[in-house]
Amino acid sequence: MNAIISGRAEIALWEENGTLFRLPWGAEQPVKCAPAPLGFFFGDATDLQFLPNLTLDETRRKLDEAVNCADALHGALMALDPELSFELRLEVSDTLNELLADCTVCDYVRGVLFARPLTADSDIEGALRAARAAEAKPLFEFWQSVRTFQPIIEQVWLAWQALDDALFRPPVERDELRAKLVRAGQFAALVQAIHDEKFGQFFITISLNREFKPHQQVIRQWTESFRNTSSRALALVPDDDAQWAAYDEKGQTERVHVVFTRVEKQKAAIVEAMRARNWRRVEDYIADLVTDQMQSGGVEFVVKSLCDLATEAKALGLHNLQLQLSEQSVKLNPNDVQVFTHRADALLSLGRLDEALSAYEQTIAQFPDNVVAQTGRAEVLKAQGHLNEALTAYDEVIANFPIDAFYLTGRAEVLKALGRLDEALSAYEQTIAQFPDNVVAQTGRAEVLKALGRLDEALSAYEQIITQFPQNVVARSGRAEVLKALGRLDEALSAYEEVIADFPIDAFSLSGQAEILKALGRLDEALAAYEQIITQFPQEVVARNGRAEVLKALGRLDEALSAYEQIITQFPQDVVARSGRAEVLKALGRLDEALSAYEQIITQFPQNVVA
C-alpha cells in the first residue's frame, strides 16, 4: 500500500484498495477520509515522503521516525538560538541527546545542518555549553563536528549556489533536486568525503544511485572542484576530546544556576497555589518538583526543598500540609535532623501535643546535640501547661548552648504564662539589651506590660515597634489589643481592619477583629466572622473558641456546649475550651457537672486561674 508521510505535520495518508485513510501521529487506528489537495492534510509542510508498498504497521513506524526527525531538527535549531534562555537550551539539549541516539534521526539532522553553513546569528558555542552542562557527550561531539566542518560545508554550499540555472528545468527543479540531496544525506556525505579525502568513493556511490542518475550532469559540475581538494587546505579546527573538559567548569556552573532558578520558580508556584488554597495544583507541582530534583540533584536537595515548603506552609497556617511535607521528607531521608524537627513542629502547630512531645524526644534521642529539638520540647511542655517543666527545659538549653534570643524569649514567655510577670518583664528587657533589634523580645515586653495593666506603656511600646518594624503584624495586632483593653473599641476595630487589609490571611488579626465585634455587641457579625475564619483556617483553635463564646453570649447554650466539646475532642490539651465548656454547664444549671469539669481542669492545669 502507498503512503505519504510528514513529520512536521505529524500525519500520514495511507491508501488501501483505493480507499484513503488519515493516520495522525499517536493514533491507534487510521480514519477513513475523502481525497483532497495535499495542503488540506499537510498544510505548508515541506518534508513530505512518498513511500510505496507499506503496511499499516510500517506506515506507523515511518511516521514515528519522521516525527522524531522533525522534533530533533527543531530542537537543534533551538539549541543554536542565542535569543533563548540557557535554561531552555539546557532542557532542549537533554531531549535532543536522546533523539540523536537513533541513527536515522541523527543522520537526518546531520544531513540538514551539513547542507549549508550556519547563519551569522547561530550560537554554536552556546549549544556546546548547553550540551556539556547537560552531560550529553554524544550531543557535544555532534556539535563539535558541526563546528569543525563549517569551512567545508561553506565550500560545498557555495559550489551548489554557483551552478548555472541553465542546468535545471525551471522554475523549481533546482530546489526540488537540492531537497532530495539533503534528505538523502548527500550534502553531508560530500562534506565527509572531502574531509576524509575519499571523494572518489563518494562520486561512485552517488553515480550508481538510481534516484540521482537523471541528474549526473548537475552532480558532476557541482562536485568538480573537489576532485583533488585536500581537507588540510580548508583549515579545519581539530576535533579533540580535550574540548569536552574545556567546557566543563563553565557548563556545570551554568547548569547549577539553571537548575537552581528552575527549582526556585517551582517553589514560588507551589507557594502561590498554597495561598490560593488550590490543593490539586499544590499536589501536582510538588510531585513535579520532587521528580525534577531527584534527577538533577538527588534526595538531599529534594528534602531541602520540601523543608522550605513546610516552612512556607507553616507561615500560611497550613499545618496539615506542613505535616504532610515533613513526613514525606522523613521517608526520603531519615538521617536528616531537620525533617524530624519540621514534623514535630507541625504536630505542635496542630495541637497534637503528646505526639509532638514524643517526636521531639525521639529526635533528641537520635540527635542529642540538636538545639532546635531541645527548644521544641520546651515549647510543647509550655503548650501542655507543664510550665515548670518547660521553664526547666529552657534553663537547660540556655546552660548548654550558646546564648540565642530565641531561647531567651521562650523562657520569658514561660515566666509570663506562670504569672511571674515582673520576672518575665525583666527577662524580656535583658534579652533586648543583648539583642536590641529582636522584635520578638520587644513585642513580648509590650505584651507583659499589657498583662501588668500598664496599658499606656504597652501602647507606647507597640507604637515604637511599629515605627521600627512597620510591617510587623504581631506589633500591629498587639496595638489593636491594647486599644481594646483601654476600651477604645472603635479605634481597635479600625486598627484590626488596617492590619487585615495588609495581611488578609493572618488568623490572629481576623480573630481579633471578631473579638472586637463581640465586645461591641455585634454578635451576629462576630459569629459570621469566626465562622469565616474557621472555614479558612480549620485548625485555628482561637477562632473555634471565639465562636463557641459568641454562641454562649447569644444564649444558644446547647450549640455552645457542642462547639466546646468538639474543640476538646480535636484539641484535648486546650484549657480555654475546657474552661468554656465548664462555664456553659454552669449557665445551663448543670452545676455538679460544671464543678467536676473545673476540678478536672485544675488537676491537669494547676496554674490556671480561670478554672
Side-chain angles (χ1 to χ4, degrees):
M1 308 305 169
N2 300 320
I4 307 173
I5 292 172
S6 168
R8 282 185 59 189
E10 298 186 354
I11 194 173
L13 290 183
W14 186 63
E15 176 270 329
E16 181 179 29
N17 299 326
T19 302
L20 190 64
F21 295 89
R22 178 173 57 87
L23 179 65
W25 180 62
E28 290 294 325
Q29 295 296 329
V31 178
K32 187 177 178 180
C33 59
L38 292 182
F40 177 80
F41 297 105
F42 298 105
D44 61 355
T46 57
D47 63 337
L48 274 59
Q49 300 178 63
F50 298 83
L51 303 171
N53 304 319
L54 293 184
T55 65
L56 177 59
D57 285 342
E58 289 170 335
T59 301
R60 188 178 284 113
R61 182 176 59 80
K62 285 287 187 181
L63 178 58
D64 286 344
E65 184 180 279
V67 169
N68 286 340
C69 287
D71 287 349
L73 180 59
H74 181 60
L77 297 176
M78 290 177 70
L80 289 165
D81 188 349
E83 297 295 320
L84 298 182
S85 67
F86 188 80
E87 176 181 6
L88 181 55
R89 293 167 79 181
L90 177 60
E91 292 182 6
V92 165
S93 297
D94 280 328
T95 302
L96 184 58
N97 191 55
E98 294 177 11
L99 289 169
L100 294 184
D102 184 327
C103 293
T104 301
V105 175
C106 187
D107 288 345
Y108 172 79
V109 176
R110 189 172 185 270
V112 174
L113 293 182
F114 276 47
R116 65 180 300 166
L118 295 176
T119 58
D121 61 350
S122 294
D123 183 15
I124 187 69
E125 291 300 314
L128 281 160
R129 286 200 307 276
R132 183 62 182 88
E135 298 183 357
K137 191 167 186 181
L139 177 62
F140 182 87
E141 292 171 348
F142 174 83
W143 287 127
Q144 269 192 301
S145 70
V146 171
R147 185 182 62 177
T148 297
F149 283 112
Q150 284 302 299
I152 304 178
I153 292 169
E154 183 175 11
Q155 293 289 338
V156 169
W157 164 251
L158 291 174
W160 177 267
Q161 294 296 94
L163 290 173
D164 192 333
D165 286 340
L167 289 169
F168 304 96
R169 292 192 299 274
V172 295
E173 189 188 36
R174 176 193 284 270
D175 292 338
E176 287 181 349
L177 178 56
R178 181 179 177 277
K180 286 182 181 178
L181 288 165
V182 171
R183 179 144 200 97
Q186 296 302 324
F187 271 82
L190 176 55
V191 169
Q192 188 70 53
I194 294 168
H195 175 269
D196 296 343
E197 299 182 8
K198 294 181 179 179
F199 174 81
Q201 183 176 328
F202 163 81
F203 191 77
I204 292 171
T205 301
I206 196 170
S207 297
L208 295 175
N209 189 311
R210 290 183 181 181
E211 185 177 8
F212 300 114
K213 272 190 176 182
H215 308 288
Q216 287 302 304
Q217 184 181 4
V218 173
I219 290 170
R220 188 177 294 109
Q221 290 201 26
W222 174 41
T223 61
E224 181 68 28
S225 62
F226 302 112
R227 287 181 181 277
N228 300 309
T229 299
S230 166
S231 66
R232 288 182 291 276
L234 294 171
L236 295 181
V237 177
D239 185 4
D240 189 351
D241 261 356
Q243 293 287 323
W244 174 252
Y247 281 83
D248 187 18
E249 183 175 348
K250 188 169 185 179
Q252 291 304 317
T253 299
E254 291 194 32
R255 178 182 178 85
V256 169
H257 173 71
V258 165
V259 170
F260 174 78
T261 302
R262 184 167 65 235
V263 168
E264 289 305 303
K265 287 180 179 177
Q266 287 175 300
K267 284 158 63 175
I270 292 167
V271 173
E272 192 60 36
M274 288 181 190
R275 290 195 178 100
R277 304 303 196 262
N278 189 331
W279 307 123
R280 179 177 292 278
R281 183 169 292 178
V282 168
E283 183 178 345
D284 290 345
Y285 284 0
I286 289 173
D288 289 343
L289 174 67
V290 170
T291 299
D292 287 353
Q293 280 207 280
M294 279 293 194
Q295 293 174 351
S296 63
V299 168
E300 180 181 350
F301 294 95
V302 174
V303 168
K304 184 180 184 306
S305 291
L306 292 177
C307 287
D308 289 345
L309 291 172
T311 300
E312 294 286 352
K314 178 184 178 181
L316 292 169
L318 305 175
H319 302 303
N320 279 317
L321 180 58
Q322 179 192 1
L323 180 61
Q324 176 188 331
L325 290 164
S326 59
E327 288 184 336
Q328 188 175 357
S329 300
V330 169
K331 289 178 183 177
L332 287 170
N333 190 0
N335 295 315
D336 186 340
V337 64
Q338 187 181 15
V339 302
F340 285 95
T341 54
H342 267 293
R343 177 177 178 273
D345 183 61
L347 291 166
L348 171 59
S349 299
L350 286 167
R352 292 160 60 175
L353 301 182
D354 291 338
E355 293 176 77
L357 184 63
S358 175
Y360 277 124
E361 289 178 343
Q362 288 173 12
T363 306
I364 293 166
Q366 190 171 351
F367 305 97
D369 295 328
N370 185 264
V371 67
V372 176
Q374 299 273 7
T375 52
R377 175 177 175 272
E379 281 290 300
V380 176
L381 290 168
K382 181 181 72 178
Q384 287 180 322
H386 302 155
L387 300 179
N388 289 315
E389 291 179 65
L391 186 62
T392 300
Y394 271 121
D395 286 338
E396 289 174 358
V397 172
I398 291 166
N400 294 326
F401 295 94
I403 294 298
D404 187 282
F406 183 75
Y407 325 144
L408 296 175
T409 54
R411 179 178 181 276
E413 183 69 21
V414 173
L415 288 169
K416 183 181 74 175
L418 282 166
R420 294 159 61 176
L421 298 181
D422 290 328
E423 292 178 74
L425 183 62
S426 175
Y428 278 125
E429 289 177 343
Q430 288 174 17
T431 304
I432 293 167
Q434 287 183 270
F435 303 93
D437 293 326
N438 187 270
V439 69
V440 175
Q442 292 186 37
T443 53
R445 174 180 176 272
E447 181 69 20
V448 173
L449 288 170
K450 183 181 75 173
L452 284 166
R454 295 159 61 176
L455 298 182
D456 290 330
E457 292 178 75
L459 185 62
S460 175
Y462 277 126
E463 288 176 345
Q464 287 175 17
I465 298 166
I466 292 166
T467 300
Q468 191 176 356
F469 305 96
Q471 292 303 310
N472 186 269
V473 67
V474 176
R476 290 174 64 179
S477 297
R479 175 179 175 272
E481 279 291 299
V482 174
L483 289 169
K484 181 181 75 173
L486 285 166
R488 295 157 61 176
L489 298 183
D490 289 329
E491 291 179 75
L493 184 61
S494 177
Y496 270 125
E497 287 171 349
E498 289 175 6
V499 176
I500 292 165
D502 290 340
F503 304 93
I505 58 171
D506 181 64
F508 183 82
S509 299
L510 292 167
S511 295
Q513 180 196 41
E515 184 69 21
I516 298 289
L517 290 169
K518 183 181 71 174
L520 285 167
R522 294 158 61 176
L523 299 181
D524 290 329
E525 291 176 75
L527 184 62
Y530 278 127
E531 288 178 342
Q532 187 175 352
I533 298 165
I534 292 165
T535 300
Q536 196 172 358
F537 304 95
Q539 300 298 324
E540 186 55 50
V541 69
V542 174
R544 288 177 174 272
N545 281 321
R547 174 180 176 271
E549 183 69 21
V550 172
L551 288 169
K552 184 180 76 173
L554 284 166
R556 294 158 61 175
L557 299 181
D558 290 330
E559 292 177 74
L561 183 63
S562 175
Y564 278 126
E565 288 176 343
Q566 287 175 15
I567 297 167
I568 293 165
T569 299
Q570 193 169 355
F571 304 93
Q573 300 296 322
D574 188 76
V575 68
V576 176
R578 289 178 174 273
S579 296
R581 175 179 175 272
E583 185 69 19
V584 173
L585 288 169
K586 183 178 72 173
L588 284 166
R590 294 160 60 175
L591 301 181
D592 289 333
E593 292 176 75
L595 183 61
S596 175
Y598 277 127
E599 288 175 343
Q600 288 176 13
I601 298 166
I602 293 165
T603 300
Q604 192 169 356
F605 303 95
Q607 301 298 322
N608 187 269
V609 67
V610 176

